[in-house]
Amino acid sequence: MSANMNIQIQIMQDNLCDLRKIAGWTAETLAGKLGITKQTISNLENQKVKLSRIQYIAIRSVFECEMASNPNNTTLRKVMGVLFHAMPPIYATYKDDVRTAMLSIASIAAAGLAGMQLHASATALLAPLGKAANQINSTHLGEPSLRWLQEALDSPGYQETENEENTEEVTDEND
């Protein structure tokens, strides 16, 4: 598996809960879109199990589909662009800053702010990260694109066998 794919998988796992909230979904809604249980989403969001490559592709596809079918959610488009196009080369360096921005954006979205207000807040919170990424010539497309999927399918190890432990259900008394 390529280093960039590993970083994107980690970015997805670290930010899954926030992306879900920005999309306006509950854990149950996302689970329904994926055909899995709410508990599996909870386990992934709480990092009780490691996100597999196949799970990443499925989850990323659901978010890409949402962006394509709901052009009014410009905030999700912006956040996905920064996370998956601009951040991978510098994610390790800026991980704490990304997490802080994502938590803030998700909290604002969960509080009911939407549309241009949410978009403006996200832009302000992500601007320093975008600037850092641009300084190292990273691209920030901000548009849904299936190039990431083609790269994932073309990379060596796509046919890798999933670990049994990755698909285990871990129960959480708090969910």
Side-chain angles (χ1 to χ4, degrees):
M1 194 175 339
S2 74
N4 191 45
M5 176 61 69
N6 287 333
I7 293 168
Q8 288 188 21
I9 290 170
Q10 187 62 53
I11 290 170
M12 178 64 77
Q13 182 140 24
D14 290 346
N15 298 285
L16 182 57
C17 180
D18 302 321
L19 288 169
R20 176 179 57 75
K21 290 177 183 175
I22 292 167
W25 300 331
T26 64
E28 189 171 12
T29 302
L30 179 56
K33 290 177 181 291
L34 293 164
I36 58 177
T37 66
K38 176 184 166 190
Q39 186 63 50
T40 301
I41 295 297
S42 176
N43 290 339
L44 291 170
E45 288 180 351
N46 294 318
Q47 300 198 18
K48 291 183 179 180
V49 294
K50 190 175 185 322
L51 184 67
S52 72
R53 184 179 197 172
I54 299 299
Q55 289 168 324
Y56 166 78
I57 290 171
I59 293 168
R60 176 89 184 256
S61 296
V62 167
F63 281 108
E64 293 279 344
C65 183
E66 172 65 13
M67 288 188 297
S69 64
N70 185 358
N72 294 331
N73 194 341
T74 56
T75 304
L76 182 61
R77 183 180 311 280
K78 176 179 282 298
V79 168
M80 291 286 290
V82 170
L83 287 179
F84 295 103
H85 296 289
M87 282 292 106
I90 61 170
Y91 187 69
T93 305
Y94 290 94
K95 183 176 180 175
D96 292 338
D97 296 326
V98 170
R99 290 298 308 128
T100 300
M102 290 298 296
L103 287 168
S104 297
I105 295 166
S107 295
I108 293 166
L113 201 62
M116 288 310 295
Q117 292 174 319
L118 179 60
H119 184 79
S121 298
T123 300
L125 289 163
L126 294 172
L129 298 171
K131 186 180 288 187
N134 284 333
Q135 289 175 351
I136 63 157
N137 296 323
S138 178
T139 61
H140 173 117
L141 302 176
E143 294 293 326
S145 165
L146 295 180
R147 283 184 294 220
W148 65 270
L149 180 56
Q150 189 61 52
E151 289 171 10
L153 296 173
D154 290 343
S155 67
Y158 169 71
Q159 300 282 336
E160 71 188 27
T161 306
E162 295 295 313
N163 275 334
E164 289 295 319
E165 63 192 15
N166 283 346
T167 58
E168 261 179 43
E169 290 283 321
V170 177
T171 57
D172 185 358
E173 296 166 6
N174 295 330
D175 289 329

